[in-house]
Amino acid sequence: MTPNALEHYLRGLIQHGIKLSVMLWGPPGVGKSSIVAQTARAHGLDFIDLRLSQLAPTDLRGLPVPERGVSRWFPPEFLPREGEGVLFLDELNMAPPTLQGIAQQLILDRKVGSYELPEGWYVWAAGNRKEDRAAVFDMPAPLANRFLHLEVEPDFESFKAYAFRNGIHERILAFLAFRPALLHQLDPKNPAWPSPRSWEMASQLLRAGLDIAPVVGQGAAAEFAAFEQVYAALPQLTDILEGRSDKTFPAEPSARYALTLGLTLRAENAQQALHAFRWMVEVAPPEWVQLFACDLFNRLRQRGRLGELAQLRQAEPKLGEFLSKFRELVF
């Protein structure tokens, strides 16, 4: 499933109070951990992230302490004692079998040693697959059978929605719209390779004027550098957003993606969005107008400004016509 579909599924589990243990599978860097954390925060839940591969068996079960001739297990402080939240067991299948065995009791019985997980907590876990070249152990069949298994795959539309919310650099987003295959491309021969996680890091480097090759690899960085030259030939986006451009729509697909995403991300208010929409309707093929409008409306909705744009539809008959025709796409 896509990251967006995963987020929807996890939200459904919380909304219906389904405390089944969940195991998320997927390649590294696809966003499993961040999706779980965001879902917990969206519902006002606490979030505890345990990297099981970094723990010893006594770290999870606790230490034995003699008490009146009997050993009593003192549980670790990082396990929750109250409230509601998500206990996330990350890198589960990178943990050795002995630790997976102890985690099995926590996953199945919601307790380990003398510790018992509070009623309001969910137990979710994640791990990489062998085909992802991760150093993983086989998950014992009894443990696997106690999970609800969800497999996550990279998806550009999910990443785009995340990028709109989190301010990923517009050039990276436009580049990946043009080259979605480079969103996630595991390279076993190099330590740096493109993934949603590494592109988010690349966004920070790009804003600082630093080379992004150390995080996405030389190949992806070289393609991105060539794509950046496209921006030099684009019409002035400010002129379009202010309603004073007479430029034509570019012919090259790379330039079209760069222009469309650039307008989407730079439209700061409903008036600028309306100017951009008018310009696109006049110069661009219908499929590009639809792509622009859907992205624009989604971004304005996230910023709580979609209502302003809807009020302007009376000033622009073509906008009203578009909203009516593609209502299922934008609302």
PDB file of all heavy atoms in Angstrom, residues 125-140:
ATOM      1  N   ALA A 125       4.760  -2.227  15.128  1.00  0.00           N
ATOM      2  CA  ALA A 125       6.170  -2.519  14.884  1.00  0.00           C
ATOM      3  C   ALA A 125       6.483  -2.309  13.408  1.00  0.00           C
ATOM      4  O   ALA A 125       5.591  -2.175  12.568  1.00  0.00           O
ATOM      5  CB  ALA A 125       6.497  -3.954  15.303  1.00  0.00           C
ATOM      6  N   ALA A 126       7.775  -2.288  13.086  1.00  0.00           N
ATOM      7  CA  ALA A 126       8.192  -2.108  11.694  1.00  0.00           C
ATOM      8  C   ALA A 126       9.516  -2.814  11.464  1.00  0.00           C
ATOM      9  O   ALA A 126      10.292  -3.036  12.399  1.00  0.00           O
ATOM     10  CB  ALA A 126       8.313  -0.620  11.348  1.00  0.00           C
ATOM     11  N   GLY A 127       9.750  -3.156  10.204  1.00  0.00           N
ATOM     12  CA  GLY A 127      11.011  -3.797   9.837  1.00  0.00           C
ATOM     13  C   GLY A 127      11.223  -3.752   8.335  1.00  0.00           C
ATOM     14  O   GLY A 127      10.300  -3.486   7.563  1.00  0.00           O
ATOM     15  N   ASN A 128      12.458  -3.992   7.934  1.00  0.00           N
ATOM     16  CA  ASN A 128      12.801  -4.059   6.519  1.00  0.00           C
ATOM     17  C   ASN A 128      12.769  -5.503   6.036  1.00  0.00           C
ATOM     18  O   ASN A 128      12.788  -6.444   6.834  1.00  0.00           O
ATOM     19  CB  ASN A 128      14.186  -3.459   6.277  1.00  0.00           C
ATOM     20  CG  ASN A 128      14.279  -1.995   6.697  1.00  0.00           C
ATOM     21  OD1 ASN A 128      15.197  -1.607   7.393  1.00  0.00           O
ATOM     22  ND2 ASN A 128      13.322  -1.202   6.282  1.00  0.00           N
ATOM     23  N   ARG A 129      12.743  -5.646   4.721  1.00  0.00           N
ATOM     24  CA  ARG A 129      12.679  -6.972   4.122  1.00  0.00           C
ATOM     25  C   ARG A 129      14.080  -7.426   3.693  1.00  0.00           C
ATOM     26  O   ARG A 129      14.973  -6.606   3.525  1.00  0.00           O
ATOM     27  CB  ARG A 129      11.748  -6.933   2.910  1.00  0.00           C
ATOM     28  CG  ARG A 129      10.370  -6.366   3.215  1.00  0.00           C
ATOM     29  CD  ARG A 129       9.647  -5.917   1.973  1.00  0.00           C
ATOM     30  NE  ARG A 129      10.406  -4.918   1.224  1.00  0.00           N
ATOM     31  CZ  ARG A 129       9.942  -4.284   0.150  1.00  0.00           C
ATOM     32  NH1 ARG A 129       8.724  -4.552  -0.300  1.00  0.00           N
ATOM     33  NH2 ARG A 129      10.694  -3.394  -0.483  1.00  0.00           N
ATOM     34  N   LYS A 130      14.243  -8.725   3.492  1.00  0.00           N
ATOM     35  CA  LYS A 130      15.542  -9.226   3.063  1.00  0.00           C
ATOM     36  C   LYS A 130      15.950  -8.670   1.716  1.00  0.00           C
ATOM     37  O   LYS A 130      17.130  -8.408   1.453  1.00  0.00           O
ATOM     38  CB  LYS A 130      15.515 -10.757   3.008  1.00  0.00           C
ATOM     39  CG  LYS A 130      15.564 -11.427   4.365  1.00  0.00           C
ATOM     40  CD  LYS A 130      15.699 -12.936   4.232  1.00  0.00           C
ATOM     41  CE  LYS A 130      15.851 -13.585   5.600  1.00  0.00           C
ATOM     42  NZ  LYS A 130      15.996 -15.059   5.505  1.00  0.00           N
ATOM     43  N   GLU A 131      14.959  -8.477   0.829  1.00  0.00           N
ATOM     44  CA  GLU A 131      15.289  -7.958  -0.496  1.00  0.00           C
ATOM     45  C   GLU A 131      15.759  -6.516  -0.458  1.00  0.00           C
ATOM     46  O   GLU A 131      16.276  -5.994  -1.460  1.00  0.00           O
ATOM     47  CB  GLU A 131      14.092  -8.077  -1.436  1.00  0.00           C
ATOM     48  CG  GLU A 131      12.832  -7.407  -0.956  1.00  0.00           C
ATOM     49  CD  GLU A 131      11.896  -8.377  -0.254  1.00  0.00           C
ATOM     50  OE1 GLU A 131      12.392  -9.284   0.444  1.00  0.00           O
ATOM     51  OE2 GLU A 131      10.668  -8.223  -0.407  1.00  0.00           O
ATOM     52  N   ASP A 132      15.607  -5.851   0.688  1.00  0.00           N
ATOM     53  CA  ASP A 132      16.104  -4.486   0.843  1.00  0.00           C
ATOM     54  C   ASP A 132      17.558  -4.471   1.305  1.00  0.00           C
ATOM     55  O   ASP A 132      18.076  -3.403   1.645  1.00  0.00           O
ATOM     56  CB  ASP A 132      15.247  -3.727   1.851  1.00  0.00           C
ATOM     57  CG  ASP A 132      13.787  -3.646   1.444  1.00  0.00           C
ATOM     58  OD1 ASP A 132      13.530  -3.415   0.257  1.00  0.00           O
ATOM     59  OD2 ASP A 132      12.919  -3.842   2.303  1.00  0.00           O
ATOM     60  N   ARG A 133      18.178  -5.642   1.331  1.00  0.00           N
ATOM     61  CA  ARG A 133      19.585  -5.790   1.740  1.00  0.00           C
ATOM     62  C   ARG A 133      19.809  -5.324   3.174  1.00  0.00           C
ATOM     63  O   ARG A 133      20.868  -4.798   3.531  1.00  0.00           O
ATOM     64  CB  ARG A 133      20.510  -5.040   0.778  1.00  0.00           C
ATOM     65  CG  ARG A 133      20.405  -5.487  -0.667  1.00  0.00           C
ATOM     66  CD  ARG A 133      21.352  -4.728  -1.558  1.00  0.00           C
ATOM     67  NE  ARG A 133      22.744  -5.020  -1.231  1.00  0.00           N
ATOM     68  CZ  ARG A 133      23.423  -6.057  -1.691  1.00  0.00           C
ATOM     69  NH1 ARG A 133      22.835  -6.926  -2.509  1.00  0.00           N
ATOM     70  NH2 ARG A 133      24.693  -6.237  -1.370  1.00  0.00           N
ATOM     71  N   ALA A 134      18.787  -5.486   4.001  1.00  0.00           N
ATOM     72  CA  ALA A 134      18.906  -5.148   5.419  1.00  0.00           C
ATOM     73  C   ALA A 134      19.411  -6.367   6.187  1.00  0.00           C
ATOM     74  O   ALA A 134      19.128  -7.513   5.827  1.00  0.00           O
ATOM     75  CB  ALA A 134      17.560  -4.704   5.975  1.00  0.00           C
ATOM     76  N   ALA A 135      20.172  -6.111   7.243  1.00  0.00           N
ATOM     77  CA  ALA A 135      20.712  -7.185   8.073  1.00  0.00           C
ATOM     78  C   ALA A 135      19.630  -7.636   9.048  1.00  0.00           C
ATOM     79  O   ALA A 135      19.587  -7.200  10.199  1.00  0.00           O
ATOM     80  CB  ALA A 135      21.956  -6.714   8.815  1.00  0.00           C
ATOM     81  N   VAL A 136      18.740  -8.502   8.578  1.00  0.00           N
ATOM     82  CA  VAL A 136      17.583  -8.895   9.373  1.00  0.00           C
ATOM     83  C   VAL A 136      17.641 -10.376   9.721  1.00  0.00           C
ATOM     84  O   VAL A 136      18.295 -11.171   9.043  1.00  0.00           O
ATOM     85  CB  VAL A 136      16.271  -8.584   8.629  1.00  0.00           C
ATOM     86  CG1 VAL A 136      16.148  -7.095   8.389  1.00  0.00           C
ATOM     87  CG2 VAL A 136      16.193  -9.342   7.312  1.00  0.00           C
ATOM     88  N   PHE A 137      16.936 -10.720  10.800  1.00  0.00           N
ATOM     89  CA  PHE A 137      16.751 -12.117  11.196  1.00  0.00           C
ATOM     90  C   PHE A 137      15.362 -12.567  10.751  1.00  0.00           C
ATOM     91  O   PHE A 137      14.450 -11.758  10.623  1.00  0.00           O
ATOM     92  CB  PHE A 137      16.864 -12.264  12.723  1.00  0.00           C
ATOM     93  CG  PHE A 137      18.221 -11.950  13.282  1.00  0.00           C
ATOM     94  CD1 PHE A 137      18.534 -10.654  13.708  1.00  0.00           C
ATOM     95  CD2 PHE A 137      19.177 -12.932  13.399  1.00  0.00           C
ATOM     96  CE1 PHE A 137      19.773 -10.358  14.233  1.00  0.00           C
ATOM     97  CE2 PHE A 137      20.433 -12.646  13.930  1.00  0.00           C
ATOM     98  CZ  PHE A 137      20.731 -11.353  14.346  1.00  0.00           C
ATOM     99  N   ASP A 138      15.221 -13.864  10.506  1.00  0.00           N
ATOM    100  CA  ASP A 138      13.898 -14.400  10.192  1.00  0.00           C
ATOM    101  C   ASP A 138      12.981 -14.214  11.397  1.00  0.00           C
ATOM    102  O   ASP A 138      13.378 -14.453  12.540  1.00  0.00           O
ATOM    103  CB  ASP A 138      13.997 -15.888   9.840  1.00  0.00           C
ATOM    104  CG  ASP A 138      14.644 -16.110   8.486  1.00  0.00           C
ATOM    105  OD1 ASP A 138      14.508 -15.228   7.611  1.00  0.00           O
ATOM    106  OD2 ASP A 138      15.295 -17.162   8.304  1.00  0.00           O
ATOM    107  N   MET A 139      11.769 -13.795  11.127  1.00  0.00           N
ATOM    108  CA  MET A 139      10.801 -13.648  12.210  1.00  0.00           C
ATOM    109  C   MET A 139      10.179 -15.003  12.508  1.00  0.00           C
ATOM    110  O   MET A 139       9.679 -15.665  11.602  1.00  0.00           O
ATOM    111  CB  MET A 139       9.708 -12.643  11.820  1.00  0.00           C
ATOM    112  CG  MET A 139       8.663 -12.429  12.909  1.00  0.00           C
ATOM    113  SD  MET A 139       7.390 -11.212  12.473  1.00  0.00           S
ATOM    114  CE  MET A 139       8.371  -9.715  12.518  1.00  0.00           C
ATOM    115  N   PRO A 140      10.219 -15.456  13.758  1.00  0.00           N
ATOM    116  CA  PRO A 140       9.616 -16.746  14.099  1.00  0.00           C
ATOM    117  C   PRO A 140       8.142 -16.782  13.702  1.00  0.00           C
ATOM    118  O   PRO A 140       7.421 -15.782  13.844  1.00  0.00           O
ATOM    119  CB  PRO A 140       9.789 -16.828  15.625  1.00  0.00           C
ATOM    120  CG  PRO A 140      10.914 -15.897  15.936  1.00  0.00           C
ATOM    121  CD  PRO A 140      10.824 -14.797  14.931  1.00  0.00           C
TER     122      PRO A 140
END
